[in-house]
Amino acid sequence: MLSRLLPSGGPARVLTGITLVHTLGQGLWMALSAIYATTVLDLTPGQFGVGVGIAAGMALAVSTPTGLLADRVGPRSVQIWSFLALGPLTAALLAVDGFAQYVVVLSVQAVAYSASRSARMAMVAGLFPAAERVSVRAYLRATSNVSVSVGAALAGLLLVVDSDQAYRLAVVFNAATYLATGLLTLLLPAVPAQPARPGPALIVLRDRPYLAFIALDGLLSMHNLLLDVVLPLWILHHTDAPRWTIAAILLTNTVTVVLLQVRAARGTDEPRAAARASRSGSLCLAVACLVFAATGGVSAAVAGALLLLGALAHVLGEMRQSAGSWGMSFGLAPEHAQGQYQGTYAMGADLGKMIAPALLTWLVIEHGTLGWLSMAVGFVLIGAAMPAVVNRALRGNKTASEFVAA
């Protein structure tokens, strides 16, 4: 069964294995980072939130420059050194004493992590032809869902132990996965560095159609916070569904992505097809919002059934939207600048994650059904705008290519 979840072989399988190791540590640490900060380091929840927010801002600020670095130096070198740096930077949390040191460590970690992310996506663009890139990303996402789930299960065991030593062991384990990921990257072929060209270095910041795509994609990607943040609050405070429904929905999402993400990504390698996939995904997300809106004021059994039905519509939209997003991010970027373009592309999802918790919670918890309806309309409008943005970007690319040829 594992062989069915992995690419057939070569660099794609190696890259998938590297992602499995990396996301294993991520899954463990995502479940324990807040507990480590407040229990072992004696920080307040507010200090933890501020530290994470500063680190997120730092990652956003350097995302495009680190992508440019991957273009100039070569993405494999950047990924190796960024992960090797993340090992001791993560272990430095063991020696943190106070809020100021915590912020410094998290901020430097954010820079290294941003570099590794930009380099990883530039490697996908450099190692695989255009027709295979979205498929590879789909494999990476499916397998990372498995690995993150295993990491979260390991975190559960440490939570049962509930001791400072157990939480410090989690830090060591996460640092070890970073080091292992950096060393495993040596197994991948090198991607040639791109020499500097005349003109501005950060050309992506002048590519208005691409920036428009990133903005729309970031707004659409806010749906990723629905199941983690918004829906649990809705279930607890506005429905009679049993609490275990929350876990059932998350499990349904994870299993569906693992089994169907690769298939859902087929046919999205070309930007126009990817835009249509993103549009169809937004329609599925809108349907999910409408179904979720109908779960208030009904019996527990009906609410549970509707919630699971809405979760299925959501995961179908999630898979199609993700595949379309990847296809556009690769297809609209010049081949010589994939690093900086992929680094900038990641900023859209980051901004969506920063906005979504407050905005979507305000819509749903404060306004109920009207909030769900507003969210559904918003998803539909954003998805409908994607084909026009892509057409504009492709016209601009064609004009630029003709100018260079002349």
Side-chain angles (χ1 to χ4, degrees):
M1 186 179 70
L2 182 62
S3 65
R4 296 176 185 175
L5 300 177
L6 296 174
S8 57
R13 176 163 287 196
V14 175
L15 190 58
T16 303
I18 291 171
T19 302
L20 282 169
V21 174
H22 166 53
T23 52
L24 179 64
Q26 290 288 290
L28 175 74
W29 190 242
M30 282 191 297
L32 296 178
S33 59
I35 295 172
Y36 182 84
T38 55
T39 301
V40 179
L41 301 181
D42 292 324
L43 302 179
T44 66
Q47 288 175 323
F48 167 73
V50 170
V52 171
I54 292 174
M58 183 67 71
L60 273 173
V62 302
S63 191
T64 301
T66 55
L68 177 63
L69 179 66
D71 288 330
R72 295 291 178 266
V73 177
R76 191 181 76 156
S77 297
V78 173
Q79 177 163 314
I80 290 172
W81 288 109
S82 60
F83 277 124
L84 291 180
L86 278 166
L89 286 172
T90 300
L93 288 171
L94 298 171
V96 163
D97 182 18
F99 175 63
Q101 292 183 14
Y102 180 72
V103 170
V104 170
V105 171
L106 255 61
S107 298
V108 181
Q109 274 186 321
V111 174
Y113 184 81
S114 178
S116 71
R117 182 176 61 180
S118 300
R120 189 161 62 252
M121 293 307 100
M123 288 182 66
V124 173
L127 291 175
F128 306 100
E132 297 179 14
R133 292 169 185 169
V134 174
S135 176
V136 170
R137 283 226 50 181
Y139 275 114
L140 298 183
R141 185 163 188 266
T143 51
S144 65
N145 267 32
V146 175
S147 189
V148 166
S149 299
V150 173
L154 293 175
L157 296 177
L158 295 178
L159 287 169
V160 172
V161 177
D162 190 23
S163 68
D164 286 3
Q165 291 76 13
Y167 299 140
R168 291 182 184 277
L169 179 63
V171 174
V172 174
F173 181 85
N174 193 30
T177 60
Y178 282 128
L179 293 175
T181 302
L183 295 175
L184 288 171
T185 304
L186 292 169
L187 300 176
L188 289 169
V191 175
Q194 297 291 334
R197 301 190 177 204
L202 297 176
I203 58 173
V204 65
L205 299 182
R206 296 170 178 257
D207 192 336
R208 293 181 180 178
Y210 196 84
L211 295 177
F213 150 66
I214 290 173
L216 292 176
D217 187 69
L219 292 173
L220 197 54
S221 70
M222 290 194 297
H223 71 81
N224 289 313
L225 277 295
L226 276 180
L227 300 191
D228 296 333
V229 178
V230 180
L231 199 59
L233 296 175
W234 172 260
I235 291 172
L236 291 177
H237 299 291
H238 292 270
T239 77
D240 293 324
R243 294 191 174 193
W244 56 259
T245 307
I246 299 171
I249 288 172
L250 294 174
L251 181 62
T252 298
N253 179 274
T254 299
V255 172
T256 305
V257 169
V258 170
L259 296 178
L260 298 180
Q261 179 65 80
V262 175
R263 182 174 297 180
R266 291 174 183 169
T268 59
D269 302 290
E270 191 272 327
R272 287 191 176 90
R276 292 192 294 270
S278 187
R279 182 177 60 190
S280 65
S282 71
L283 293 175
C284 291
L285 295 171
V287 170
C289 291
L290 296 178
V291 175
F292 291 146
T295 58
V298 298
S299 67
V302 174
L306 288 175
L307 285 167
L308 290 175
L309 181 62
L312 288 174
H314 177 275
V315 74
L316 290 176
E318 175 186 338
M319 291 187 296
R320 288 296 286 173
Q321 184 271 327
S322 297
S325 176
W326 302 330
M328 287 181 281
S329 72
F330 286 125
L332 298 178
E335 290 300 314
H336 69 275
Q338 284 285 355
Q340 62 171 289
Y341 270 71
Q342 297 310 313
T344 308
Y345 159 71
M347 293 173 63
D350 286 344
L351 288 171
K353 290 177 184 177
M354 294 175 66
I355 298 170
L359 175 61
L360 301 189
T361 301
W362 174 76
L363 281 173
V364 171
I365 304 304
E366 297 295 329
H367 301 283
T369 301
L370 180 61
W372 283 116
L373 295 177
S374 301
M375 201 184 307
V377 172
F379 285 144
V380 169
L381 293 177
I382 295 170
M386 282 296 190
V389 170
V390 166
N391 287 334
R392 180 187 172 195
L394 292 176
R395 285 196 299 270
N397 290 346
K398 182 179 179 181
T399 302
S401 297
E402 290 174 348
F403 175 77
V404 171

